[in-house]
Amino acid sequence: DTGVSQDPRHKITKRGQNVTFRCDPISEHNRLYWYRQTLGQGPEFLTYFQNEAQLEKSRLLSDRFSAERPKGSFSTLEIQRTEQGDSAMYLCASSLEGNNEKLFFGSGTQLSVL
Amino acid sequence: GESVGLHLPTLSVQEGDNSIINCAYSNSASDYFIWYKQESGKGPQFIIDIRSNMDKRQGQRVTVLLNKTVKHLSLQIAATQPGDSAVYFCAENRITGGGNKLTFGTGTQLKVEL
């Protein structure tokens, strides 16, 4: 499978715990995006990387959230001191920069904070 | 404020009929629009896109129409099949000079009845 893969698919944690998600993009894609989706809503942009550089962060991304893409390939999204409001689907997408840029999404990580 | 919205939360159609899903947008500066399909437990899947210099674009069984005068976007699915049952999102690309940071609408649930 050469699509975007995310791990884990599901994560249940207790409030206050830290969690980390991983995204492996399509190999030739230089851009990587993180989105968050709550039930019944469309995905909301969180942040994106071009190669290893994090170029933009949404106001939704509080200081408890941090994302990295150290080698310009896979990325991790960490949430510290999780809150119940963090419960959502966290989606990763990748793309190839250009005039015809299209985002390809992974299946997401469903986070439940108890 | 700027937003992308959908007229109907749920659309039920008979198998074999044509489906039309509508979307309104408010940012006249947007120049790129995309339709995604999302099945339960999966990430959004790219269907078709259109640029603001076009009024219509056709794919396999799908057609996207763009009316810039009234800021309206529609997705037409011909001969709807059970496998088309999903939530459909329109999304727009805000022109900010970097990244394809899509803004998604709430979504329309398409139900195909046998």
Side-chain angles (χ1 to χ4, degrees):
Chain A
D1 188 351
T2 57
V4 178
S5 62
Q6 293 188 245
D7 183 71
R9 290 295 310 276
H10 304 274
K11 179 69 177 179
I12 300 174
T13 191
K14 293 182 179 179
R15 188 175 51 187
Q17 297 295 304
N18 300 343
V19 294
T20 300
F21 311 140
R22 176 179 170 126
C23 171
D24 287 88
I26 295 171
S27 58
E28 62 267 27
H29 285 181
N30 63 335
R31 284 185 172 171
L32 186 149
Y33 299 77
W34 285 99
Y35 282 78
R36 181 173 68 188
Q37 185 177 25
T38 54
L39 193 63
Q41 301 296 316
E44 297 174 294
F45 169 79
L46 293 179
T47 188
Y48 91 99
F49 293 82
Q50 181 159 312
N51 301 311
E52 67 277 7
Q54 188 174 16
L55 296 187
E56 188 167 339
K57 293 191 289 186
S58 163
R59 287 172 294 176
L60 295 174
L61 213 65
S62 76
D63 56 6
R64 296 184 297 106
F65 288 69
S66 62
E68 294 182 344
R69 196 183 183 199
K71 298 181 180 179
S73 57
F74 74 92
S75 175
T76 58
L77 177 66
E78 180 183 16
I79 308 175
Q80 295 181 326
R81 305 179 304 281
T82 52
E83 301 173 356
Q84 288 184 327
D86 296 331
S87 296
M89 173 77 82
Y90 289 84
L91 292 162
C92 176
S94 71
S95 68
L96 191 61
E97 177 190 7
N99 290 333
N100 201 31
E101 181 179 6
K102 292 181 174 60
L103 268 61
F104 294 87
F105 284 85
S107 293
T109 294
Q110 181 66 54
L111 173 66
S112 297
V113 181
L114 305 179
Chain B
E2 298 166 340
S3 65
V4 176
L6 295 173
H7 294 307
L8 298 174
T10 303
L11 176 65
S12 294
V13 298
Q14 293 290 322
E15 182 181 6
D17 287 351
N18 296 335
S19 303
I20 299 176
I21 302 172
N22 297 303
C23 175
Y25 65 95
S26 59
N27 185 0
S28 57
S30 293
D31 70 347
Y32 181 58
F33 304 89
I34 314 97
W35 282 100
Y36 280 91
K37 171 187 180 184
Q38 188 172 26
E39 297 173 282
S40 181
K42 296 184 179 180
Q45 177 187 356
F46 175 90
I47 301 174
I48 192 168
D49 58 358
I50 188 169
R51 295 192 178 275
S52 60
N53 60 352
M54 301 172 68
D55 297 323
K56 178 180 180 179
R57 192 169 187 211
Q58 289 184 296
Q60 187 175 11
R61 283 202 305 119
V62 294
T63 301
V64 55
L65 299 177
L66 176 62
N67 186 332
K68 295 180 287 294
T69 302
V70 295
K71 298 178 187 172
H72 184 268
L73 191 69
S74 69
L75 176 70
Q76 300 179 0
I77 304 174
T80 312
Q81 302 169 357
D84 295 327
S85 293
V87 177
Y88 289 80
F89 293 97
C90 67
E92 65 170 318
N93 180 18
R94 299 178 183 276
I95 302 171
T96 60
N100 195 357
K101 302 179 295 295
L102 301 175
T103 297
F104 285 80
T106 304
T108 293
Q109 173 77 56
L110 177 64
K111 295 183 177 179
V112 182
E113 300 172 349
L114 303 178

